[in-house]
Amino acid sequence: YRTLTKRLDSLASNYVGNNTTEQAFIGWSEIDIPIDENQPLAGYGARNPKSLLGIHDSIFFKIFIIKKDPHKAAIISADLLIIHPEFKNAVYRSLPEGWTRDQLYFTARHTQSSIGGWAPGGVGELFAGEYSVDIINKMTSALIRALTKAEENLENGLIGYSKLAVEDLVYNRLAKDKGDVDP
């Protein structure tokens, strides 16, 4: 958390300001994460069966690129339990020219019924099933295709934000009324 916060804060030093002669570009893509029958599932260790029996819904990589020369960043959302270092490092090794690891921001939807097989070792096998380099390679290839497609789709764009207080929608499901709630 501290490292990420420090990285985000460091972006302010690169901010030039509202110069109307500068142009921002936005790109987006979505691509299926490849799934094979009998692939291991990630999530609950006590699950039975621990392998995929069929496909009800597709899972995706969704990539959002923001580019304002000379800077660009890709926000990568994955329908996975987590972004495991084994997968992230495979992506870093496969980046197309013009991209660096510092330009990628990964997030996972913490999907408990998504594919596994991406975490080597005993602990990885407990929560993600039997490790497979083939799964890592297929996921990496799909993500790189999505990154390339998002960059090809860059268009003029604007980004804004707003704040909305929703304290009444926040609930501590574990501690119920006995715990603190961070608004």
Side-chain angles (χ1 to χ4, degrees):
Y1 173 77
R2 286 187 191 106
T3 302
L4 176 61
T5 301
K6 192 174 187 179
R7 268 182 82 192
L8 291 173
D9 289 344
S10 74
L11 297 176
S13 65
N14 294 321
Y15 182 70
V16 179
N18 291 331
N19 183 341
T20 56
T21 62
E22 294 182 87
Q23 209 166 17
F25 294 92
I26 310 296
W28 184 86
S29 72
E30 174 183 82
I31 194 164
D32 286 5
I33 298 174
I35 304 171
D36 296 323
E37 293 290 329
N38 297 316
Q39 192 163 340
L41 292 171
Y44 304 107
R47 171 179 286 150
N48 190 12
K50 292 184 183 235
S51 295
L52 177 75
L53 298 177
I55 300 169
H56 185 271
D57 295 307
S58 295
I59 55 175
F60 298 96
F61 289 123
K62 296 176 183 180
I63 298 185
F64 178 73
I65 294 177
I66 305 165
K67 182 177 181 181
K68 186 171 182 180
D69 282 333
H71 306 286
K72 66 181 173 181
I75 300 167
I76 300 163
S77 174
D79 292 336
L80 299 172
L81 179 67
I82 62 170
I83 303 295
H84 192 275
E86 187 81 7
F87 171 56
K88 188 168 51 169
N89 289 330
V91 171
Y92 291 156
R93 289 189 299 271
S94 302
L95 283 174
E97 187 175 331
W99 284 98
T100 66
R101 64 191 302 151
D102 293 336
Q103 296 169 313
L104 305 183
Y105 296 86
F106 291 90
T107 182
R109 294 194 50 217
H110 197 70
T111 306
Q112 292 282 346
S113 292
S114 186
I115 62 170
W118 33 253
V123 174
E125 190 168 322
L126 282 175
F127 69 86
E130 185 178 343
Y131 175 72
S132 168
V133 165
D134 188 48
I135 291 171
I136 292 285
N137 291 341
K138 286 179 180 180
M139 288 174 38
T140 300
S141 178
L143 190 143
I144 296 301
R145 283 193 314 275
L147 181 67
T148 302
K149 183 178 173 186
E151 192 165 28
E152 289 170 354
N153 291 337
L154 287 172
E155 295 182 8
N156 291 332
L158 297 171
I159 299 174
Y161 79 97
S162 63
K163 282 185 164 183
L164 178 64
V166 292
E167 289 91 354
D168 55 325
L169 300 178
V170 178
Y171 176 73
N172 187 328
R173 67 183 174 85
L174 299 176
K176 307 204 183 331
D177 294 331
K178 296 175 186 165
D180 292 331
V181 174
D182 183 354

